[in-house]
Amino acid sequence: MKRTLFCIAIIIAALPARGQRLPEGTEHLDPSAGWAGPAVFRTEFISYDTRQLAEEGDPAKNKYYLPVGFEDAAPAQGGTLYRTVVDIPYMWLDRDVYLQITGLDSYYIYIGNEMIAYGEDSRIPMQFLISDHITDGENTVAVLHTPGIVPQIEENATPSAGQRPEAFIFSQPKICIEDYRLRFFPDSTDSYGIFNIRIAVSNSYNTPEEVTVGYDIYSPQGKLQYYDMRQLTVDGRGKDTLRLNEFIYQTNPNEWTPENPALYYGMLTVRRGNRMVEYIPFKIGFGKTEYADGTILRNGRPVSLNPVTYNAATPQEAREVLSGFKARGFNTICPDYPQPAWFYELCDEAGFYVIDNADINPLPTNLGRIPGGELANSPEWLGRFLKRAESLRVRNVNRTSVIGWSLGGDSGNGYNLYKTYIDLKAREPFRPVIYKYARGEWNSDIPFDSDGL
């Protein structure tokens, strides 16, 4: 008990008061930047060390996955302190170790008494590389929730978020798949499918390392369609990207639509020497979403959207609600903010389009373009607008169900949303970008009215 109280005292003493200068050596954690520290933004996935576990897809069975339950919550300088002690296995020290956290609108992360990162956005999971800050055995992990920093950008989200952290720790081999991009679309003659894959590999060792990176892909009926393995030599502390285009035949009967939500499935793999060290499962629907001349196209055919607003609570509730929507003829879900990863998986499997909404939900002030009025027209907030939209895109770019991006809730309009629209269109021109509250202005590809899309 004395040891626990002593640890808490050390952590609280290290925490900065609101407005206080950050400790020496951590100036790069300036919260005005929106986030900082060793944060990683990528497709949301978990890797496994065996194919069987990857196919099951249950992180709880993964020996490189550790749930984090914050036991203590107490007032502290600058906000509320959440704290726990986690036991890191010795074998993890030769791996890249990440802390993933969501559920708080703005926060500082401490390991021991060292501040390692600042983060914000209660709806998008953030990952922090913590390998250099942990030891084997017991490690104290603390999160200081600082609601006074940026609550404005989320205060119109319902129900309110940003109140309690949800977290887990996981690890990957030091040479591993850092991120990937998948596209699966018809060729120009509509005769077969082109499976386009980019696999980014990172090496945390100091010396060059050779690995074999591969994948396989199966049809919805369980037939192996293709597999490939390529050798890569990745520089020490470096990265490299494997780019592949493969022809997959007899894809048209398996086109993903709301009426036929057929999903191909497969595995990304990494082999080092004679040993397989990483498996990452994926699912993808065949088809191409495009936006042209005011119309969303799926495989070149206009898509008729029948949208409904819905924010998921639990998987069981979501399954029941989505089934009811399907029976009533809805085919498009428009959430008010980013949803949990399992929700997008349900939409992929059940056959729903999703217009994915950035976590930008400030209260409108009705001050229009008055300087200092709407957050959307306050240039000092531009970085946060851009980063929240981009983190949404990066997280869900591989989701078959996601056919468009939304700029957020009713935030007025102005410079920040104009720039956010331009940025998303530049990064991914083939998906529409929508802003329900553009009210006739140009930064929405598809206009909304009182009846929806």
Side-chain angles (χ1 to χ4, degrees):
M1 179 65 179
K2 289 182 179 178
R3 179 188 175 198
T4 300
L5 292 174
F6 178 69
C7 289
I8 294 175
I10 290 176
I11 294 171
I12 292 176
L15 300 179
R18 188 177 306 165
Q20 179 178 326
R21 184 179 180 274
L22 296 176
E24 186 175 355
T26 60
E27 290 83 359
H28 64 288
L29 300 176
D30 178 11
S32 67
W35 49 61
V40 178
F41 298 93
R42 55 181 175 176
T43 298
E44 192 171 2
F45 66 86
I46 294 291
S47 73
Y48 299 82
D49 68 328
T50 72
R51 188 180 188 98
Q52 179 179 346
L53 288 175
E55 289 175 345
E56 292 180 16
D58 183 359
K61 297 180 180 179
N62 189 348
K63 66 182 178 182
Y64 297 113
Y65 175 91
L66 181 63
V68 175
F70 288 98
E71 304 154 358
D72 305 318
Q77 284 184 319
T80 301
L81 178 69
Y82 297 92
R83 175 194 172 277
T84 192
V85 176
V86 296
D87 194 356
I88 300 295
Y90 177 77
M91 68 178 69
W92 284 32
L93 298 187
D94 193 38
R95 295 171 64 87
D96 288 339
V97 183
Y98 297 89
L99 170 67
Q100 177 165 309
I101 187 167
T102 188
L104 297 177
D105 45 23
S106 56
Y107 52 92
Y108 293 91
I109 297 175
Y110 289 76
I111 295 181
N113 63 350
E114 178 188 10
M115 181 198 299
I116 68 163
Y118 167 83
E120 61 182 55
D121 193 331
S122 65
R123 305 287 183 178
I124 292 286
M126 293 185 64
Q127 293 179 1
F128 299 92
L129 183 62
I130 63 174
S131 308
D132 293 339
H133 307 283
I134 59 172
T135 61
D136 62 308
E138 291 188 349
N139 290 257
T140 300
V141 179
V143 177
L144 176 65
H145 179 209
T146 53
I149 295 181
V150 288
Q152 304 98 306
I153 201 166
E154 296 186 27
E155 62 186 344
N156 200 33
T158 304
S160 61
Q163 297 303 315
R164 188 168 187 87
E166 298 178 4
F168 59 84
I169 295 173
F170 71 102
S171 68
Q172 291 183 260
K174 281 189 174 293
I175 184 161
C176 63
I177 294 174
E178 183 179 80
D179 204 356
Y180 61 93
R181 293 289 181 271
L182 306 175
R183 293 186 65 201
F184 193 13
F185 52 90
D187 78 304
S188 59
T189 65
D190 201 28
S191 301
Y192 51 82
I194 298 175
F195 184 52
N196 176 270
I197 182 169
R198 289 181 292 157
I199 306 174
V201 181
S202 65
N203 177 15
S204 294
Y205 292 110
N206 292 323
T207 58
E209 295 287 333
E210 184 177 277
V211 290
T212 302
V213 181
Y215 78 94
D216 53 52
I217 183 170
Y218 290 79
S219 72
Q221 294 78 30
K223 182 180 179 180
L224 177 64
Q225 301 290 284
Y226 204 89
Y227 70 93
D228 199 357
M229 302 185 77
R230 304 288 181 92
Q231 286 190 330
L232 283 179
T233 299
V234 185
D235 291 340
R237 300 290 172 178
K239 300 179 183 180
D240 201 352
T241 301
L242 179 65
R243 295 174 172 85
L244 298 170
N245 276 296
E246 306 295 353
F247 298 144
I248 309 293
Y249 292 90
Q250 298 178 338
T251 48
N252 287 342
N254 293 320
E255 178 186 342
W256 186 97
T257 67
E259 298 75 28
N260 178 45
L263 291 171
Y264 287 73
Y265 63 95
M267 198 74 65
L268 310 180
T269 61
V270 176
R271 187 180 72 198
R272 186 172 180 229
N274 295 320
R275 188 167 68 92
M276 302 296 291
V277 297
E278 185 169 48
Y279 296 85
I280 298 174
F282 67 84
K283 292 182 180 180
I284 187 170
F286 171 66
K288 183 178 183 180
T289 300
E290 298 175 285
Y291 170 76
D293 299 325
T295 302
I296 298 177
L297 305 174
R298 183 72 179 174
N299 288 352
R301 300 186 298 273
V303 171
S304 178
L305 303 182
N306 189 12
V308 61
T309 298
Y310 175 61
N311 302 297
T314 66
Q316 180 58 37
E317 179 243 47
R319 287 188 184 94
E320 295 173 358
V321 171
L322 291 177
S323 178
F325 287 157
K326 181 76 72 170
R328 293 159 57 192
F330 293 108
N331 68 357
T332 306
I333 306 298
C334 299
D336 292 319
Y337 38 76
Q339 302 294 296
W342 54 258
F343 175 76
Y344 300 98
E345 294 173 6
L346 287 180
C347 290
D348 287 347
E349 294 167 0
F352 280 92
Y353 299 123
V354 176
I355 306 296
D356 212 7
N357 206 35
D359 194 14
I360 299 173
N361 284 282
L363 285 171
T365 62
N366 297 318
L367 294 177
R369 302 298 194 272
I370 298 174
E374 304 282 8
L375 262 61
N377 204 43
S378 300
E380 66 270 20
W381 285 83
L382 175 61
R384 286 189 166 93
F385 277 64
L386 292 174
K387 288 173 181 176
R388 287 181 179 236
E390 176 60 4
S391 64
L392 176 81
R393 189 192 71 84
V394 169
R395 179 200 184 201
N396 289 331
V397 69
N398 293 321
R399 299 289 186 186
T400 299
S401 55
V402 176
I403 63 167
W405 313 110
S406 170
L407 297 183
D410 189 359
S411 309
N413 210 356
Y415 178 77
N416 295 340
L417 288 174
Y418 300 152
K419 293 285 287 185
T420 304
Y421 171 89
I422 291 170
D423 188 69
L424 283 174
K425 294 296 290 186
R427 294 175 186 271
E428 200 174 40
F430 57 86
R431 277 190 178 105
V433 176
I434 298 166
Y435 183 43
K436 182 177 181 179
Y437 304 96
R439 296 182 174 89
E441 295 193 66
W442 56 268
N443 58 325
S444 182
D445 290 334
I446 301 174
F448 274 74
D449 57 29
S450 59
D451 296 322
L453 285 168

